[in-house]
Amino acid sequence: MTTQTANKTRTVARLVRGLPTSDGAGVRLNRVIGTQALPDVDPFLMLDEFRSDDPKAYIAGFPEHPHRGFETITYMLAGRMRHKDTRGNEGLLGPGDVQWMTTARGLQHSEMPEQQDGLMQGFQLWLNLPAKEKMLDPVYKDIPAATIPVIAGDGHTIKLIAGRQSGVTGPIASPTTKPYVADVVLTKGEVTLDIPDGHAGFAYVYDGAVDIAGTRVERAQAAVLAGEGALTLTAPGEEARVLVVSGYPLKEPVVRHGPFVMNTVAEIHEAIRDYQRGLFD
Ligand code: MN
């Protein structure tokens, strides 16, 4: 059984640049999704890129804060970050590690740099949950770099965080959105990524440049994908690094209030009340 449509390929619906912003206690980051220009790519609510060797840009971290209604995926490329949450989970994320947290009905956590200087680089992605999964129990998973499959080909490697690629399954799944998340390094030729039909998604180029169906995508640009079928990235001559992310859209109403993402305003009010009553502790 194949989930791709033969002879169809993904194209670029639009190109978007991230917006420099700050969050947490003053961490400077590049918000690629979750801006006025690109509020979401259903089912993805946010993509933040952090990348700085200036400690002032990251040292304050993200002290304790709540979440409800979605999943957070943190992928470290360089540096160390310590996570602690109110359910007793604790983990140290190092280069190449992933943390996947299904916040569901809620918890509080902190995400603090465990370094005084040097490069801190990585991503945080927010993946929405369907209404029927928003109030389930939270789930927390640390995925060490060594357990994430790397698929090597001629001129490329694919580090598969979620989804299926070339017969390999990534370590993380979500039952409704069934996301595909891959970190792709492309040095020459082209690489075809097995994005299922029906997925919506984007490719974020964080180093170099690639071509997608004839559209050049430069560093720090996200290509929001159109069409169906697989996604082919072509190297225009320099090494490229691309975060490729897709999933089944939820097509549900989205009401956001900071760290809470629900379907209705009443549910946001309930989240705020629950937080004030200490139900996230
Ligand atoms: Mn958080």
Side-chain angles (χ1 to χ4, degrees):
M1 193 188 88
T2 177
T3 52
Q4 281 84 44
T5 303
N7 305 318
K8 283 193 179 176
T9 191
R10 299 280 174 162
T11 56
V12 176
R14 58 186 288 210
L15 293 174
V16 179
R17 282 192 182 275
L19 189 71
T21 184
S22 76
D23 207 337
V27 177
R28 289 205 287 278
L29 44 82
N30 182 34
R31 183 151 292 163
V32 181
I33 293 173
T35 62
Q36 278 195 343
L38 186 60
D40 61 15
V41 177
D42 184 11
F44 301 97
L45 300 161
M46 198 186 82
L47 176 69
D48 282 345
E49 176 187 39
F50 46 94
R51 183 175 192 164
S52 179
D53 56 11
D54 175 3
K56 289 195 294 294
Y58 61 72
I59 206 73
F62 299 86
E64 193 159 81
H65 58 279
H67 289 296
R68 174 178 281 181
F70 56 98
E71 305 189 75
T72 67
I73 300 145
T74 307
Y75 175 37
M76 292 295 286
L77 290 167
R80 291 183 192 282
M81 185 97 80
R82 184 171 293 277
H83 159 101
K84 285 184 192 173
D85 70 37
T86 44
R87 294 173 64 87
N89 298 303
E90 182 168 349
L92 180 63
L93 280 151
D97 294 343
V98 170
Q99 181 206 86
W100 192 298
M101 191 169 66
T102 306
T103 73
R105 68 180 159 76
L107 78 178
Q108 292 199 69
H109 76 158
S110 60
E111 301 155 286
M112 299 300 288
E114 191 141 306
Q115 64 190 49
Q116 300 302 314
D117 51 31
L119 178 64
M120 171 78 76
Q121 184 182 5
F123 296 100
Q124 190 169 86
L125 179 69
W126 287 12
L127 169 58
N128 205 0
L129 285 168
K132 65 178 193 287
E133 295 171 28
K134 282 185 183 290
M135 293 301 279
L136 300 180
D137 284 341
V139 178
Y140 167 89
K141 287 179 190 141
D142 263 329
I143 303 111
T147 66
I148 301 173
V150 177
I151 301 153
D154 184 22
H156 64 264
T157 60
I158 303 166
K159 185 172 172 183
L160 187 64
I161 296 167
R164 275 183 71 74
Q165 172 69 43
S166 311
V168 175
T169 301
I172 293 295
S174 191
T176 301
T177 53
K178 295 183 167 59
Y180 179 105
V181 180
D183 184 13
V184 180
V185 179
L186 180 62
T187 52
K188 62 172 181 166
E190 59 180 43
V191 58
T192 296
L193 305 170
D194 299 340
I195 293 179
D197 281 352
H199 269 204
F202 60 91
Y204 180 66
V205 176
Y206 66 94
D207 272 323
V210 295
D211 285 319
I212 298 175
T215 300
R216 188 179 171 97
V217 190
E218 306 273 358
R219 173 173 135 68
Q221 284 185 322
V224 180
L225 302 175
E228 294 291 354
L231 168 65
T232 298
L233 306 179
T234 305
E238 52 184 320
E239 179 174 288
R241 290 172 182 262
V242 187
L243 188 70
V244 176
V245 176
S246 67
Y248 291 111
L250 293 170
K251 298 177 180 161
E252 292 182 357
V254 173
V255 183
R256 295 174 182 240
H257 181 79
F260 307 134
V261 184
M262 302 301 289
N263 299 103
T264 68
V265 172
E267 288 167 347
I268 291 292
H269 290 156
E270 182 186 22
I272 294 167
R273 274 198 311 275
D274 287 353
Y275 177 59
Q276 288 166 345
R277 291 163 60 204
L279 298 186
F280 287 65
D281 294 344

